Every structure is written in structure tokens, then in C-alpha cells.
Amino acid sequence: MKLETALAIAPALALVSWTQEFLPKEAETLNWSKFSGFWYIIAIATDTQGFLPARSKRKLGASLVKVHKPGQLRVVIAFSRPRGCQSREVTLKKDRKRPVFRNTLKGVKGLHVLSTDYTYALVYLRLGRAGSNYKSLLLFSRQNISSFLSLREFLDTCHILQLTKQATILPKDDSCAHTILP
């Protein structure tokens, strides 16, 4: 291998290695009962084209997470989309080998909680079917505002996941989020 080729490949390999190390190992240690409940989605970064509506029509998202059975989560997510507020419900099963919940039949390849103190959470969501793969980073909060530190962690993680250009802090309009209140 030529030196020029090795020098060109080295940064990419380092980023992939570092990103894989950064991905969560939480499924064994996270208290899912404590994590369960209603969350506002304060910010999103996604590589999904056309997911968010125009800036003037964006609203806070929301998620309702419940432990359904051991090893299963029921997750409802509501977002302001180009066609108005839409919600989806899916039951996710814990992977036996990895710290991830998934339901590939519904297009959810992985839901990871990257970090949380149970008042905020960074959630990494991988979606896809039929060769299409998308990734999203969500900033969850129990309140409809976020702390500076959680927002800083969100932006730093966007950088690591190469989602910085697609990062959006959602406006405080919580009318869409309240459609799934328990």
C-alpha cells in the first residue's frame, strides 16, 4: 500500500473506530422503568430527506416509552411532519447480543440511549428498509426546554455522528407533543 493511500484511509478508520466505541453499552445498566414515561423531543439531527416540515411549521416532538414485557419496549413518537402532526407506535425487542432495541419488520434497526440522567436523554435511532438506512439523534427532555449542557452534548454527538448540518432545535410550540400525553 502506498503511503499516500494509507494517510488518506487512516482518518476515516480512526473515525469509524472512535464512533463504534462511542456507541452505547447501556442496555444492561439503564433503568428502563425509570427511563419510561413521557419525553419532549427538543432537538433532532437526521439524514432522512424531507422528514421535517418548513421551519415555520416545526413543533416540539414527543415520545412515550413504556416497558411492555421483559425485553420489550412500547414506543410512541409524535412529530410535526410536512403533512402535519403524525405519531407512530412500535414495540421493540431487546437484541440478545447488542445493547439495542429493534423491530426490523417495522423498519427500526436500533434504538440506543447514548446518555441520560433521566431528566434528559440522547437517543440514537437507526431506521431503514430495503437498502435504505437513516440515522437520527434525538434530544429528549422531561420538560419542554433543555439545559445548556444537554444541548452541548447533543451538538457534540451530532458532530461525532456526522449529523451537524442536519441538526435542528425545535421551537417551543408543544401542540403536536401533547397529542400523545398519557
Side-chain angles (χ1 to χ4, degrees):
M1 182 184 302
K2 291 183 176 182
L3 180 60
E4 296 87 19
T5 305
L7 290 174
I9 293 173
L13 291 175
L15 178 64
V16 168
S17 173
W18 193 66
T19 302
Q20 287 174 343
E21 288 177 24
F22 177 75
L23 288 177
K25 299 172 177 74
E26 94 293 316
E28 303 301 323
T29 60
L30 189 74
N31 182 336
W32 285 101
S33 294
K34 197 172 176 181
F35 187 83
S36 293
F38 180 82
W39 294 92
Y40 287 100
I41 301 173
I42 303 293
I44 181 171
T46 184
D47 62 1
T48 307
Q49 295 294 335
F51 181 80
L52 292 171
R55 287 191 187 276
S56 63
K57 296 185 179 185
R58 293 180 185 171
K59 300 176 181 184
L60 288 177
S63 183
L64 188 58
V65 179
K66 289 185 179 182
V67 176
H68 181 59
K69 296 178 184 176
Q72 288 188 0
L73 295 177
R74 181 163 288 148
V75 179
V76 179
I77 292 185
F79 266 111
S80 177
R81 302 285 308 272
R83 294 185 180 159
C85 184
Q86 296 179 351
S87 63
R88 298 277 188 260
E89 181 175 335
V90 66
T91 300
L92 305 174
K93 294 180 182 178
K94 183 178 178 287
D95 188 287
R96 292 183 184 146
K97 297 178 182 178
R98 295 181 177 173
V100 63
F101 282 83
R102 66 179 78 225
N103 183 334
T104 53
L105 294 176
K106 298 284 185 172
V108 180
K109 293 186 170 189
L111 180 137
H112 307 270
V113 177
L114 299 179
S115 69
T116 188
D117 69 357
Y118 304 102
T119 63
Y120 87 96
L122 281 181
V123 177
Y124 180 54
L125 188 60
R126 293 182 304 112
L127 303 171
R129 281 193 222 178
S132 299
N133 293 300
Y134 305 101
K135 59 186 176 181
S136 298
L137 181 67
L138 309 171
L139 175 58
F140 281 19
S141 177
R142 297 288 187 183
Q143 299 178 4
N144 64 357
I145 58 171
S146 64
S147 71
F148 174 78
L149 293 176
S150 64
L151 193 54
R152 178 79 254 158
E153 186 177 354
F154 171 79
L155 292 172
D156 289 346
T157 307
C158 285
H159 180 73
I160 292 165
L161 296 173
Q162 299 177 342
L163 290 171
T164 305
K165 290 181 183 175
Q166 300 92 339
T168 301
I169 298 168
L170 298 169
K172 299 234 185 301
D173 181 340
D174 57 6
S175 58
C176 186
H178 284 209
T179 62
I180 63 167
L181 275 173

